[in-house]
Amino acid sequence: MRKKIIIIMTAIVLFGGFIAGYRNINQKYPARKVETAEKGESLEFLDGVKISANVVKWLSTEEQAAIYENSGIDTSKVNYDTKIIEVSVCLKNTTEEEKEVPITYLSLETTGVGTAISQELLMGNSEHYSSMVEKLEPGEEKVVTYPYEICSIWFHKKDWKNIEMRSFWMTFASYPEKTVLYL
C-alpha cells in the first residue's frame, strides 16, 4: 500500500512539473502571429519596402535545360528529377530614401518542404534573373524574378507527379511573426 502511495505521489509531482515547464516555455516563446497576403497583395518586407508576389512560372523541360546549361550544371549525373519555378515579386520603396533590399530572406515553401533561391542558377543566368541585393530609389517600384529549384527526392512519388498542382507560398520571416505571400 505504501509503495502505491509513493508511486502515485511521484506521478503527480512529475505531471505537475511537466505542466509547469510547459507553461514556462509557452510564456517565454508565445505562439507566432501569421501575417498573410494573397497573390497581388503586398506586405511590409523591410522597413519601408513593400513586397507582393506577381507571377509564378513552372519552366518547361527545354527552358529548364537551357537554364542548367547556362549555369554550367551537368544534370546527367543527377539521379533524381528537378523542376524550376520562377517567381516574380514586386518591390516598392515607400520611403524618401534609397534602399538596399537583400533578397536572401525570400524562401519558397510548401507543406513539409522549403527552399531558398538557387544561387547556382541565379549566378549562371544573371542576364535573366535579378540580383540578390536590389537597390530602390525613393518611391521606386521594381519587379524582380528569382529561380527556385524543387527536387523529386523531397516528395513521395505520387506527390511529385502532381507537384505543379501543389500550393506554394513565399516567406521571409518565421518568428515571432511569420509572413506568408501565397502564390
Side-chain angles (χ1 to χ4, degrees), residues 110 113 150-157 159-160 163 166 168:
T110 186
V113 176
I150 308 294
C151 300
S152 64
I153 58 175
W154 300 343
F155 300 91
H156 291 288
K157 287 181 183 177
D159 292 333
W160 183 251
I163 195 70
R166 196 176 180 103
F168 284 86

Side-chain angles (χ1 to χ4, degrees), residues 65-182:
I67 295 292
Y68 281 132
E69 186 178 326
N70 289 343
S71 300
I73 298 172
D74 182 10
T75 58
S76 66
K77 296 177 183 165
V78 178
N79 60 354
Y80 54 85
D81 291 333
T82 60
K83 297 230 182 232
I84 298 174
I85 304 174
E86 289 183 346
V87 180
S88 296
V89 295
C90 180
L91 301 171
K92 183 174 184 179
N93 183 355
T94 60
T95 68
E96 297 299 320
E97 56 191 49
E98 183 180 293
K99 292 280 189 176
E100 281 195 3
V101 183
I103 304 297
T104 53
Y105 308 127
L106 218 46
S107 298
L108 184 72
E109 293 183 2
T110 186
T111 305
V113 176
T115 187
I117 296 169
S118 175
Q119 294 289 326
E120 286 180 300
L121 299 179
L122 185 75
M123 298 305 171
N125 296 278
S126 58
E127 73 286 343
H128 183 69
Y129 295 123
S130 303
S131 168
M132 288 301 285
V133 178
E134 290 296 329
K135 290 185 181 180
L136 297 173
E137 297 296 322
E140 182 181 7
E141 191 171 316
K142 185 187 281 189
V143 175
V144 292
T145 303
Y146 297 100
Y148 292 88
E149 189 175 32
I150 308 294
C151 300
S152 64
I153 58 175
W154 300 343
F155 300 91
H156 291 288
K157 287 181 183 177
K158 66 178 180 146
D159 292 333
W160 183 251
K161 288 179 185 175
N162 299 315
I163 195 70
E164 293 180 20
M165 304 311 246
R166 196 176 180 103
S167 295
F168 284 86
W169 54 89
M170 300 190 84
T171 62
F172 47 88
S174 291
Y175 194 84
E177 185 171 301
K178 182 170 182 149
T179 50
V180 177
L181 286 170
Y182 289 106

Side-chain angles (χ1 to χ4, degrees), residues 9-54:
M9 292 303 288
T10 303
I12 290 172
V13 168
L14 289 174
F15 183 71
F18 173 75
I19 296 297
Y22 185 81
R23 288 194 56 180
N24 185 33
I25 292 295
N26 283 337
Q27 287 174 347
K28 279 186 183 177
Y29 306 103
R32 65 183 175 196
K33 297 175 186 171
V34 179
E35 185 178 3
T36 64
E38 295 298 322
K39 192 173 179 180
E41 295 177 354
S42 64
L43 287 172
E44 187 84 12
F45 182 56
L46 293 173
D47 199 27
V49 177
K50 300 270 187 181
I51 187 170
S52 62
N54 288 352

